[in-house]
Amino acid sequence: MSLYLVTGGAGFIGSHLATELVQRGHRVRVLDNLSTGHRRNLAHLPAVDFLEGDLADIEACRQAVQGVDYVLHQGAIPSVPRSVSDPITSNRSNIDGSLNILVAARDAKVKRLVYAGSSSAYGDTPTLPKREDMPTAPLSPYALQKLVAEQYCQMFTRLYGLETVTIRYFNVFGPRQDPGSPYSGVISLFSTALLEGRRPTVYGDGEQTRDFTYVANVVDGVLRACEAPEASGEVINVATGGRISLNDLLRAMNTILGTSIEPIYAESRVGDVRDSQADIRKAERLLGYHPIVSMEEGIRRTLDWCREESSATVRA
Ligand code: UD1
């Protein structure tokens, strides 16, 4: 039994990691400032040691890493458009906060820190699928911040011998992704719109593509990265290896629901990437990772969750 610290553990991906760790019999501590996460995401996990605190506060980080074996650093302010409209707030969390947790983890001699990187680091470089050794070209403050923090991770491995692994996530979706925020992931926004009989908004022509990854795949990849002997100091894509356009995504969701709701097309978002698809061979090689839940199955589970949430809200 090990002690894991999940930063951002009250958020979408962090709460799934916490759930799986508890199921595997581990002890879990969460550090979260509840800026985008919610206590209710951990309500089913009473054994989790919850610390409300900010990554930008080094003392909160030092307290959180005490006695910890592994740090799963998920805490961040996500969303490309949010970072475009307010780059300073996201910088403070995504870069300053990451540096603080790295320093605290180094000083507390944790075994390994696994960092939530982002596919946005690749930007609009022409080659698909994206391999980890390809050049990066961040198009937004969010993409740049995520890239700087992964480089900090690699530097901490080289300079101080702190074992770090960056997992580059590709458009993760699933239950508990907050549909209440306009900055939420597109699948959660489409799900709530379709279930409420509203027309979803598509930014641009809808022909942009993404490697949408159901959250259980990411949880599996991150937990493998904690122990994989050859992963330290590495950057590794975790995704499905496929891609789908937003128009096709919407068609697939309409088919599952038996609806035929047309979107409203709006101006493309500034800082948006055109196409994104991961090469996952490095994850297969170093982590023994293979996607366990397909996009279609993930969409079904997400829609089921959204339905339950809305009926729970109606009952309350
Ligand atoms: C980016 C990153 C992703 C990261 C996420 C964090 C890329 C390729 N991916 O996701 O790894 O986890 O930021 O926030 O950079 N859209 C609509 N209608 C909507 C909402 C979004 O059409 O209501 C469009 C967007 O313009 C975009 C696509 O859907 O083209 C996906 O958007 P979103 O889910 O916000 O994620 P990315 O910005 O792709």
Side-chain angles (χ1 to χ4, degrees):
M1 188 204 258
S2 301
L3 176 58
Y4 287 75
L5 170 68
V6 186
T7 72
F12 159 49
I13 301 173
S15 67
H16 283 276
L17 284 165
T19 305
E20 181 62 24
L21 287 167
V22 169
Q23 265 162 16
R24 293 188 189 186
H26 294 294
R27 290 190 298 141
V28 178
R29 184 178 296 152
V30 161
L31 175 67
D32 201 302
N33 66 357
L34 301 178
S35 67
T36 61
H38 304 281
R39 281 304 298 260
R40 66 169 183 274
N41 287 340
L42 296 171
H44 59 295
L45 301 173
V48 165
D49 175 18
F50 181 79
L51 301 180
E52 185 170 345
D54 199 326
L55 285 164
D57 170 5
I58 182 79
E59 287 315 317
C61 293
R62 289 198 188 283
Q63 194 194 337
V65 294
Q66 272 176 32
V68 161
D69 296 294
Y70 300 100
V71 176
L72 309 183
H73 177 37
Q74 313 298 307
I77 298 200
S79 170
V80 168
R82 187 188 333 227
S83 78
V84 172
S85 63
D86 180 7
I88 292 177
T89 304
S90 56
N91 194 88
R92 183 166 167 273
S93 172
N94 300 349
I95 298 187
D96 297 352
S98 295
L99 180 56
N100 283 344
I101 202 73
L102 279 164
V103 167
R106 177 200 66 188
D107 293 351
K109 300 196 168 29
V110 307
K111 288 184 184 147
R112 194 174 274 190
L113 179 145
V114 180
Y115 170 63
S118 169
S119 61
S120 57
Y122 295 109
D124 264 342
T125 52
T127 324
L128 291 173
K130 303 298 186 195
R131 241 188 16 240
E132 296 85 344
D133 56 2
M134 287 175 176
T136 52
L139 295 180
S140 61
Y142 173 79
L144 180 64
Q145 292 155 10
K146 281 276 154 182
L147 182 60
V148 168
E150 75 172 43
Q151 293 186 354
Y152 259 127
C153 287
Q154 290 190 299
M155 179 175 285
F156 267 61
T157 302
R158 284 194 300 269
L159 264 186
Y160 306 114
L162 170 68
E163 291 198 7
T164 68
V165 186
T166 292
I167 299 296
R168 280 191 186 153
Y169 297 166
F170 281 68
N171 289 77
V172 187
F173 72 97
R176 294 203 285 275
Q177 190 167 35
D178 190 356
S181 159
Y183 294 128
S184 191
V186 68
I187 291 188
S188 88
L189 294 171
F190 280 8
S191 299
T192 39
L194 294 182
L195 286 169
E196 290 168 10
R198 285 187 287 110
R199 293 175 70 188
T201 304
V202 168
Y203 298 113
D205 62 4
E207 288 304 307
Q208 65 267 50
T209 57
R210 294 290 184 272
D211 188 341
F212 289 107
T213 309
Y214 186 66
V215 63
N217 298 319
V218 163
V219 167
D220 182 57
V222 168
L223 297 187
R224 286 171 181 274
C226 291
E227 314 216 358
E230 288 170 33
S232 178
E234 299 291 337
V235 172
I236 307 172
N237 295 336
V238 163
T240 68
R243 68 188 171 107
I244 184 174
S245 72
L246 290 190
N247 289 328
D248 285 343
L249 168 73
L250 199 52
R251 267 191 282 276
M253 295 178 75
N254 265 314
T255 304
I256 291 171
L257 288 169
T259 51
S260 50
I261 301 176
E262 293 288 329
I264 296 165
Y265 288 92
E267 274 290 284
S268 294
R269 278 178 174 175
V270 188
D272 211 34
V273 165
R274 185 69 184 172
D275 295 303
S276 175
Q277 179 183 17
D279 184 322
I280 56 172
R281 281 175 297 176
K282 188 171 179 183
E284 289 170 351
R285 200 173 69 247
L286 293 188
L287 306 179
Y289 162 86
H290 301 283
I292 46 184
V293 179
S294 68
M295 192 194 72
E296 292 74 16
E297 173 58 21
I299 289 176
R300 284 180 202 280
R301 292 188 196 177
T302 307
L303 286 167
D304 286 347
W305 177 81
C306 287
R307 249 192 232 102
E308 278 165 31
E309 280 296 286
S310 61
S311 56
T313 315
V314 171
R315 279 197 306 272

